[in-house]
Amino acid sequence: MTRVVISGTGLYRPPHVISNAELVEAYNRYAELQNERHADAIAAGERQPMASSSVEFIEKASGIKQRYVLVKDGVLDPARMYPRFEPRPDEQLSLMAEIAADAARQALAAAGKTGADVDMVLCAASNMQRAYPAMAIEIQNAIGAGGYGFDMNVACSSATFALEQAVNAVKSGSARCVLVVNPEITSAHIEWRDRDCHFIFGDVCTALVVEAADTATSADRWEVMGTKLATKFSNAIRNNFGFMNSAEDADPDARDKKFRQEGRKVFKEVVPMAAAHIASHLAALGHEPTQVRRFWLHQANVGMNQLVLKKLVDHEVGGDIAPLILDEYANTASAGSIIAFHEHRADLAAGHLGVICSFGAGYSIGSIVVRKC
Ligand code: CO8
């Protein structure tokens, strides 16, 4: 059986930061303006006033301190509360492909490869910029790759689900060198005017190179020991935006056309699922959770990760076992666990075992067990 490794990773970090203080100030001004506008309806008891957001709540409830965004323009404007992206002509590289190509070049350089070595491109993210042609094919063209490419969306688990497809393609011989990219432009599909979720997400793009162990030349190689994916239908995280909207005469600005969730329900339901998933995956490979040197977990909520780990190893663990990146990046959907892997693996030694695990909308859970070569 072909042994498969992750031989390089890359990270595109957007140029703009929005702190919690800036975010809350803009949101609270927006809420004030709305309350003034609807003062009569509020006074008549026909409408609830909008409550204010707070930095303390955000940091305590989630652990998020700031987020990166591709453009800041518009997001903090109480009259808009939405990013302002310049539309690009068809002839120009699209924004999603641009950030993916940037992360891809970094991952390829780390793996000692060029675009010409790649024969499969998977663009896996929680939303695609357009319906077609596939983003992956534009990215394939931008980096000069051969073979073929396609898009995948499993929301927050897009990266781990794509990793399994990449590993299987190399094992089966249908590809030799696979590029997985996760361009997450979450700022364009969250509702910045909803205090329950306005703080949750950030933009970013991650990239991974997956290839056979015997073609890998990078000194930093991680053998994929196993992959395990699971899904279970839930409406607790949902976005109804889609190509049927116009035909349904739907209001494109309606609340259900952007990210929404029942956060507490998600927290309660997903924690036990994720812990059981990781435990059973490790057991099937003959390992105990306590043998894992590092867990690169999905980055949605600091408390969620602590609880998943407590269930696995029966005690509190620190950043050395389960590094946190969501304080700096916020929730970056599918890219979160990959950012953690990208930034927090250099100190591990040959033989060390690690687990990359995502969990989120669907519900979906994906775990990848790796060993440092
Ligand atoms: N400021 C002040 N108060 C607030 C705020 C705020 N910003 N927001 C809510 N509150 C209030 C609530 O109204 C509530 O008030 P009351 O008690 O009077 O009703 C109180 O605070 C408590 O609210 P919650 O119960 O909602 O608070 P929680 O402690 O549960 O924290 C979290 C909310 C942080 C959202 C938490 O529940 C959480 O993180 N849950 C896990 C969510 C999760 O993991 N989701 C995964 C989603 S990501 C994913 O799958 C990818 C989807 C695709 C990507 C989309 C990209 C856009």
Side-chain angles (χ1 to χ4, degrees):
M1 178 73 87
T2 306
R3 289 169 55 227
V4 180
V5 297
I6 298 171
S7 57
T9 59
L11 170 67
Y12 168 82
R13 187 191 297 119
H16 306 287
V17 173
I18 296 181
S19 68
N20 284 344
E22 286 174 288
L23 187 77
V24 165
E25 189 187 340
Y27 176 86
N28 287 348
R29 182 66 192 129
Y30 166 77
E32 266 171 35
L33 292 171
Q34 289 299 306
N35 289 342
E36 280 166 28
R37 194 173 147 209
H38 298 290
D40 291 347
I42 292 168
E46 292 156 10
R47 192 182 172 112
Q48 287 296 314
M50 288 186 74
S52 55
S53 182
S54 89
V55 171
E56 296 70 31
F57 171 85
I58 294 170
E59 294 186 2
K60 190 158 179 281
S62 70
I64 294 164
K65 296 198 169 131
Q66 61 164 51
R67 70 280 304 137
Y68 294 99
V69 288
L70 282 156
V71 296
K72 215 164 162 170
D73 185 25
V75 176
L76 301 178
D77 175 358
R80 183 174 169 93
M81 302 292 280
Y82 211 58
R84 192 186 305 278
F85 290 108
E86 284 301 322
R88 295 181 177 187
D90 289 356
E91 297 68 36
Q92 194 181 342
L93 190 66
S94 63
L95 183 59
M96 232 173 147
E98 181 181 302
I99 64 172
D102 184 297
R105 289 190 186 102
Q106 294 178 43
L108 288 166
K113 297 273 185 280
T114 69
D117 295 308
V118 173
D119 58 357
M120 180 181 188
V121 177
L122 294 175
C123 179
S126 60
N127 228 327
M128 295 297 157
Q129 189 175 338
R130 59 168 180 258
Y132 39 80
M135 300 308 307
I137 303 174
E138 189 180 4
I139 296 159
Q140 173 196 23
N141 186 52
I143 62 163
Y148 61 101
F150 59 89
D151 295 348
M152 291 176 50
N153 177 355
V154 201
C156 283
S157 290
S158 300
T160 53
F161 276 52
L163 264 171
E164 181 176 277
Q165 309 321 306
V167 168
N168 289 346
V170 174
K171 274 189 182 155
S172 73
S174 70
R176 283 183 304 107
C177 181
V178 185
L179 174 73
V180 174
V181 282
N182 319 106
E184 292 287 6
I185 308 183
T186 64
S187 59
H189 56 117
I190 61 169
E191 180 51 88
W192 297 92
R193 295 168 297 188
D194 181 344
R195 78 167 184 158
D196 287 344
C197 70
H198 76 125
F199 58 89
I200 294 181
F201 292 101
D203 298 335
V204 81
C205 182
T206 48
L208 299 133
V209 175
V210 175
E211 59 179 317
D214 58 12
T215 63
T217 54
S218 152
D220 180 34
R221 300 184 308 280
W222 294 79
E223 181 170 358
V224 178
M225 311 307 293
T227 60
K228 181 177 162 80
L229 313 181
T231 51
K232 183 172 186 289
F233 185 68
S234 167
N235 276 321
I237 309 168
R238 192 166 171 125
N239 179 342
N240 284 338
F241 175 79
F243 79 100
M244 297 285 282
N245 293 163
S246 316
E248 291 168 341
D249 298 323
D251 171 6
D253 208 27
R255 183 62 192 90
D256 74 321
K257 303 298 180 293
K258 298 195 188 86
F259 169 88
R260 71 205 152 104
Q261 72 168 352
E262 294 172 67
R264 190 144 287 204
K265 183 174 160 70
V266 174
F267 193 113
K268 281 195 188 139
E269 292 181 347
V270 171
V271 165
M273 283 169 68
H277 180 98
I278 295 171
S280 73
H281 190 190
L282 286 167
L285 295 169
H287 298 298
E288 295 288 332
T290 47
Q291 294 174 297
V292 175
R293 178 65 187 81
R294 191 150 292 161
F295 290 91
W296 299 282
L297 296 186
H298 182 54
Q299 304 280 322
N301 184 298
V302 59
M304 215 170 172
N305 287 11
Q306 281 166 359
L307 270 177
V308 168
L309 285 155
K310 186 133 196 289
K311 282 180 184 294
L312 284 169
V313 297
D314 210 22
H315 59 84
E316 302 275 327
V317 302
D320 180 49
I321 299 292
L324 200 72
I325 58 94
L326 98 163
D327 51 345
E328 178 182 353
Y329 290 88
N331 181 341
T332 51
S334 72
S337 57
I338 309 300
I339 301 174
F341 178 65
H342 175 80
E343 293 196 339
H344 295 280
R345 68 173 193 269
D347 57 320
L348 266 54
H352 275 149
L353 202 64
V355 176
I356 300 169
C357 184
S358 67
F359 31 88
Y363 296 132
S364 56
I365 304 182
S367 57
I368 315 291
V369 177
V370 293
R371 188 190 291 281
K372 169 100 172 146
C373 296

